[in-house]
Amino acid sequence: MHYLTKTLSTAAVACMMTGTTLPAQAAEIHVLATGALSAAFKKLVPAFEKKSGDHLVIAWGPSYGSSADALPTRIRNKEPMDLCFMIGAALDGQIQQGVFDPATRADLAQSRVGVAVRAGLPVPDVSSVEKLRTALLEAKSVAFSEGASGTFIVNTLFPKLGIVEQMKSKSVLIHGKELVGTAIERGEADLGLQQISELRAIGGIQFSGPLPDAVQNPNVIAAAIARDAKERKAAQGLIDFLRTAEAKAIFESTGLDPVSGR
């Protein structure tokens, strides 16, 4: 202990004499994140870690739902968390409950819902509402998540298309952090709907296109720092990095749309 203290003291004195500073200790930032960011984070995480020297520990899950992986469940179970990325409306609910610091909330990107099918199947045209309706009715099975997109699909899209009853026998609900595209790739469903960025994260499926504007459901993905965050400064550094031009370009390349938010 004496040797360590002496070594650190000597280093500190040397730094003062040369005008330099001691290197900051790398932070381990615990992150909860919506799967809508999975494709973008494959590129953004290594870039941030290289630039900052910090390390991210990420737990994935949907912004809504009651499965063990769902972000509300992880938050309720008090999993380690410095920072969370969720659909904006879901995050706002958590902020109202006092989980996150509202002053740190930041909009990062916008996510739209799209359609994909299993490799080898004909790729349906979903460019109009009627063509989307036909594609859903002709599919033998249709998968969607328990998260934000799945909630929209069941409660809004199917009723708007007038196909609630027809879809009951062919619907495949994907629980937890698993992406719909993974289930499609595995053969559990012929067609799936989810956030475009989540579908594009899976290489073994065919992307059909976004939902038509008339029935689209864009959601803002937002971030906020936990009130009891242990690595608050490092977490803020990650948010700042994700608002750079470099990060925005990666968001767009992975199926997310730019957002002019707070």
Side-chain angles (χ1 to χ4, degrees), residues 107-167:
D107 293 338
L108 297 175
Q110 184 170 261
S111 179
R112 292 178 295 154
V113 178
V115 180
V117 295
R118 187 158 44 87
L121 294 179
V123 179
D125 183 352
V126 295
S127 59
S128 71
V129 173
E130 190 54 41
K131 289 176 179 178
L132 170 65
R133 185 176 188 276
T134 298
L136 290 169
L137 290 174
E138 291 183 349
K140 292 181 179 179
S141 52
V142 176
F144 45 85
S145 78
E146 68 170 339
S149 59
T151 301
F152 160 75
I153 289 159
V154 173
N155 295 337
T156 303
L157 180 63
F158 289 169
K160 187 174 287 189
L161 296 177
I163 59 173
V164 172
E165 292 302 317
Q166 298 96 313
M167 298 307 297

Side-chain angles (χ1 to χ4, degrees), residues 24-46:
Q25 184 175 3
E28 186 171 83
I29 310 169
H30 288 267
V31 175
L32 299 186
T34 167
L37 293 173
S38 56
F41 269 31
K42 288 179 182 178
K43 298 179 180 179
L44 290 169
V45 169

Side-chain angles (χ1 to χ4, degrees), residues 14 19 25 54 130 143 192 195 205 234:
Q25 184 175 3
D54 296 331
E130 190 54 41
Q195 311 289 351
I205 61 175

Side-chain angles (χ1 to χ4, degrees), residues 52-245:
S52 67
D54 296 331
H55 175 62
L56 302 185
V57 179
I58 305 175
W60 297 97
S63 295
Y64 295 97
S66 57
S67 68
D69 290 327
L71 299 183
T73 304
R74 293 185 184 278
I75 293 169
R76 188 167 56 251
N77 291 340
K78 299 188 182 303
E79 292 191 15
M81 173 184 64
D82 295 301
L83 175 64
C84 184
F85 300 93
M86 299 177 79
I87 296 300
L91 184 62
D92 289 339
Q94 296 292 335
I95 288 175
Q96 290 173 6
Q97 294 178 41
V99 179
F100 299 100
D101 180 355
T104 65
R105 188 192 184 285
D107 293 338
L108 297 175
Q110 184 170 261
S111 179
R112 292 178 295 154
V113 178
V115 180
V117 295
R118 187 158 44 87
L121 294 179
V123 179
D125 183 352
V126 295
S127 59
S128 71
V129 173
E130 190 54 41
K131 289 176 179 178
L132 170 65
R133 185 176 188 276
T134 298
L136 290 169
L137 290 174
E138 291 183 349
K140 292 181 179 179
S141 52
V142 176
F144 45 85
S145 78
E146 68 170 339
S149 59
T151 301
F152 160 75
I153 289 159
V154 173
N155 295 337
T156 303
L157 180 63
F158 289 169
K160 187 174 287 189
L161 296 177
I163 59 173
V164 172
E165 292 302 317
Q166 298 96 313
M167 298 307 297
K168 284 182 178 178
S169 62
K170 63 173 70 179
S171 292
V172 179
L173 181 62
I174 307 302
H175 294 279
K177 64 184 177 182
E178 182 175 36
L179 301 182
V180 169
T182 304
I184 298 174
E185 186 179 38
R186 201 167 51 237
E188 290 187 19
D190 289 344
L191 181 148
L193 303 99
Q194 197 169 29
Q195 311 289 351
I196 292 172
S197 59
E198 293 179 273
L199 294 174
R200 286 190 173 177
I202 308 301
I205 61 175
Q206 302 175 104
F207 181 65
S208 302
L211 297 186
D213 289 343
V215 291
Q216 183 56 262
N217 182 50
N219 277 297
V220 169
I221 299 173
I225 297 173
R227 285 193 180 276
D228 59 354
K230 294 181 179 179
E231 297 292 351
R232 175 173 290 270
K233 183 177 180 180
Q236 184 60 57
L238 175 56
I239 292 177
D240 293 343
F241 171 75
L242 294 177
R243 302 186 85 177
T244 63

